[in-house]
Amino acid sequence: MREQLIPLVLAAFACLPLASPADQDAQARFESSLRNAKSLSNVEVHWRDTLWIKELDLKAVNLQDFSRTMHYSFIAAGPKFRATCKLISGTSTNITQLTEAAFDGKSYAEYSSNGSMVTSGRKEPGSNSETPHNPIIAPFMFLTKLSDDCRKCVLRFTDLTSEGFANGVTLARGQKADGLLEFQMSGLPLGKQPTTWTIAMDEDGGSFTPRTIKFIAPGSKYEVVHRFLEYTNLGAYQFPSRVEWTMCSYPPTSPPTVLSTGTVTLVSAHIPDQIADSVFKLDENAAAVVWDSDQRKLTRTAPELVKVKTATRTARIVLLVVMFMTVVALIAVAKRFVSRKG
């Protein structure tokens, strides 16, 4: 009986799915590219980001289509970073002209050209100065923490280079088609439903360089296809110098219902020898209003707001006096009425 079971067991093991050489190679390329990213202690990247929004109800602002072009920059040294977003052009006039965010390893600050600043003793997960379409992190965008629990989360280059990042991440088993290797990765819940990432890359190559990454968020009713073009490099680390993406409604329609499209074009990227610590600090003197999120209070108030507060306080006092006098008058009238009736 034992002799009969041995062939059956061996046959069962022979039927188990094994990782193909291509799968093993993709995992090795993934880990190699992460090591190459971690080897970059300093980076400075500049790019332009253009967005077009269509198929949305923009009648309220008298716009049939909306577009804007921003100039982004990201400078990092170890865990420290500074992110800047400047408006180049836009079809709307109420777009913020400049936003910045910086983390010096201990404190974090965000500034907006409307004169406001927010400070914090902890690094925030994202800001208006940043974008999920930063080309230097594009190959690894499926590792973002964006979810229902963290709507502000963006993947930063400082995340890629941090200790332990992506440890234990194993790429799913891939499928070959037309010289490409395609595999899916589960994403975090968004819109109270699981999300999915589909990555397609050349079968051959030494680095992790996807051609396309598709993100599907059924709970939020959209999907985004990112196309990575013209790979470049900083040291041994490779990333696309151009990204084209299209967001469509989900479930898919025929033809697709396009919600928005965008292009990201690298302007420059280099490895600075040194970056001054002052780069990672924002000047509070540039802000008229500063909100300390740790203490949950304003630490600087604009003179205009002081005037408004003073006027509001005065109006409140006047209102209270009027109400008090009204109550006194009503009591006096009531007493007189009672005495006459008595």
Side-chain angles (χ1 to χ4, degrees):
M1 183 68 177
R2 178 180 294 179
E3 288 76 8
Q4 293 176 342
L5 285 174
I6 292 176
L8 292 175
V9 173
L10 293 176
F13 275 110
C15 293
L16 290 175
L18 299 176
S20 68
D23 292 335
Q24 295 171 350
D25 180 59
Q27 183 70 30
R29 290 160 65 182
F30 171 79
E31 294 172 0
S32 175
S33 287
L34 271 178
R35 286 194 298 271
N36 292 335
K38 292 177 186 293
S39 70
L40 302 175
S41 57
N42 299 340
V43 296
E44 181 172 351
V45 185
H46 296 261
W47 69 95
R48 287 202 173 186
D49 182 309
T50 299
L51 163 72
W52 294 273
I53 298 179
K54 295 180 178 294
E55 302 296 336
L56 294 179
D57 185 6
L58 298 173
K59 295 178 182 178
V61 288
N62 297 319
L63 289 175
Q64 293 183 346
D65 296 326
F66 170 82
S67 67
R68 62 102 182 103
T69 298
M70 298 289 194
H71 181 100
Y72 286 93
S73 66
F74 190 85
I75 305 172
K80 305 174 184 178
F81 69 86
R82 182 175 187 140
T84 303
C85 173
K86 295 180 180 179
L87 175 66
I88 302 300
S89 62
T91 54
S92 177
T93 58
N94 62 348
I95 305 175
T96 303
Q97 300 290 314
L98 170 71
T99 57
E100 291 186 287
F103 178 65
D104 65 2
K106 295 181 180 180
S107 59
Y108 175 89
E110 291 182 37
Y111 170 77
S112 174
S113 57
N114 63 14
S116 64
M117 180 178 289
V118 177
T119 61
S120 174
R122 67 182 183 91
K123 179 176 61 176
E124 295 296 326
S127 71
N128 292 331
S129 310
E130 300 169 278
T131 168
H133 297 123
N134 183 340
I136 200 170
I137 59 89
F140 299 100
M141 63 168 55
F142 58 93
L143 298 176
T144 180
K145 300 295 185 184
L146 175 68
S147 65
D148 288 329
D149 293 332
C150 189
R151 290 278 184 169
K152 288 180 60 178
C153 276
V154 296
L155 182 65
R156 297 183 174 115
F157 186 74
T158 52
D159 296 327
L160 296 186
T161 59
S162 63
E163 187 69 26
F165 180 80
N167 282 359
V169 173
T170 302
L171 300 184
R173 183 177 175 83
Q175 295 184 346
K176 298 179 184 179
D178 300 325
L180 295 177
L181 182 65
E182 185 177 284
F183 49 93
Q184 288 190 344
M185 300 290 289
S186 298
L188 296 173
L190 197 61
K192 299 181 180 180
Q193 291 188 35
T195 57
T196 304
W197 297 87
T198 302
I199 299 99
M201 58 190 293
D202 293 325
E203 281 190 55
D204 302 320
S207 295
F208 189 74
T209 51
R211 282 197 185 183
T212 63
I213 294 182
K214 183 178 183 179
F215 176 63
I216 299 178
S220 297
K221 302 186 185 308
Y222 73 85
E223 64 179 25
V224 188
V225 176
H226 307 83
R227 298 173 181 82
F228 302 143
L229 308 170
E230 303 169 14
Y231 271 83
T232 186
N233 67 286
L234 282 176
Y237 177 64
Q238 296 191 27
F239 60 97
S241 61
R242 183 175 176 84
V243 179
E244 298 175 352
W245 60 268
T246 302
M247 177 186 287
C248 295
S249 63
Y250 188 88
T253 59
S254 183
T257 302
V258 177
L259 303 177
S260 59
T261 59
T263 60
V264 174
T265 305
L266 184 70
V267 175
S268 66
H270 71 287
I271 305 173
D273 293 331
Q274 291 184 334
I275 304 175
D277 287 340
S278 59
V279 170
F280 306 112
K281 293 181 180 294
L282 299 184
D283 183 10
E284 287 193 16
N285 293 324
V289 177
V290 179
W291 172 262
D292 187 321
S293 61
D294 296 330
Q295 301 182 56
R296 302 185 65 82
K297 69 176 185 178
L298 289 171
T299 56
R300 172 175 296 169
T301 306
E304 294 79 8
L305 288 179
V306 173
K307 292 179 182 179
V308 171
K309 284 184 176 180
T310 302
T312 303
R313 190 180 301 114
T314 302
R316 188 182 299 118
I317 292 171
V318 171
L319 179 60
L320 289 173
V321 170
V322 170
M323 290 176 64
F324 176 76
M325 295 301 294
T326 302
V327 171
V328 170
L330 288 173
I331 292 173
V333 170
K335 284 183 177 180
R336 188 179 304 168
F337 176 77
V338 171
S339 63
R340 284 182 179 176
K341 201 163 186 183

